[in-house]
Amino acid sequence: MVMTSPTTATAVNSVLRVPPAAPAAAAAYFGASLAFHADVSDVASALAADGDPGFVVVDSRSTASWDQGHIPGAVHLPTAMIPEQAPRLLDPAVPVVTYCWGPGCNGATRAALALARLGYQVKEMLGGFEYWAREGFAFETWEGGDRRAADPLTAPVDDDADCGC
């Protein structure tokens, strides 16, 4: 493998056309990103562990979407209802993890913003319900519990395997 200088690489490589941030700036950015986001596997692992995970999961989608499938134990709180219902449903001392359909939907982001404006500590679950189901985690529907096989493009297919992240 031939290494090129940044000057040479930027002339021919669209990845390095804009050079990477300085390490300190990158550490600040990625650290901040982790303060705002959680991934599906980490949420599932925390919920599956014995005891209180230290957060509550909020599904910000419509009732029809909730009925189609949701994370067991999640609180159903559609984004439009947050200002009215959050104080009744959520403890302001408990962090909230929001989710919506998936990466193509910014509903969880809007819900997180609404909750943050009300004073809640909040993170958004990356991947949403789509990746929850695709990674093979159990979910509930209006008909009862369900679970799909893990998609090998999103998660290890062996329940005991660790993705190494």
Side-chain angles (χ1 to χ4, degrees):
M1 176 177 194
V2 176
M3 299 298 290
T4 60
S5 71
T7 304
T8 304
T10 58
V12 296
N13 184 333
S14 61
V15 171
L16 298 175
R17 187 171 296 133
V18 174
Y29 172 84
F30 292 117
S33 179
L34 291 172
F36 296 112
H37 301 108
D39 73 21
V40 166
S41 294
D42 288 344
V43 172
S45 175
L47 293 175
D50 291 333
D52 179 1
F55 61 87
V56 63
V57 177
V58 168
D59 184 316
S60 65
R61 301 171 302 148
S62 69
T63 299
S65 299
W66 168 267
D67 289 346
Q68 189 173 327
H70 59 272
I71 295 173
V75 172
H76 184 223
L77 183 55
T79 301
M81 306 298 285
I82 287 173
E84 175 188 328
Q85 294 186 6
R88 183 173 54 81
L89 296 173
L90 303 173
D91 179 346
V94 178
V96 177
V97 176
T98 62
Y99 76 91
C100 60
W101 272 113
C105 175
N106 67 1
T109 305
R110 287 193 308 269
L113 175 60
L115 288 163
R117 286 179 171 162
L118 292 173
Y120 292 88
Q121 293 180 343
V122 63
K123 288 188 174 201
E124 177 183 4
M125 186 178 79
L126 298 175
F129 182 73
E130 175 189 349
Y131 276 73
W132 184 272
R134 288 181 73 186
E135 290 190 20
F137 298 117
F139 57 91
E140 296 175 347
T141 73
W142 68 275
E143 296 176 308
D146 201 355
R147 185 178 199 150
R148 298 180 180 166
D151 179 339
L153 296 176
T154 65
V157 293
D158 181 359
D159 284 341
D160 296 327
D162 179 0
C163 73
C165 295

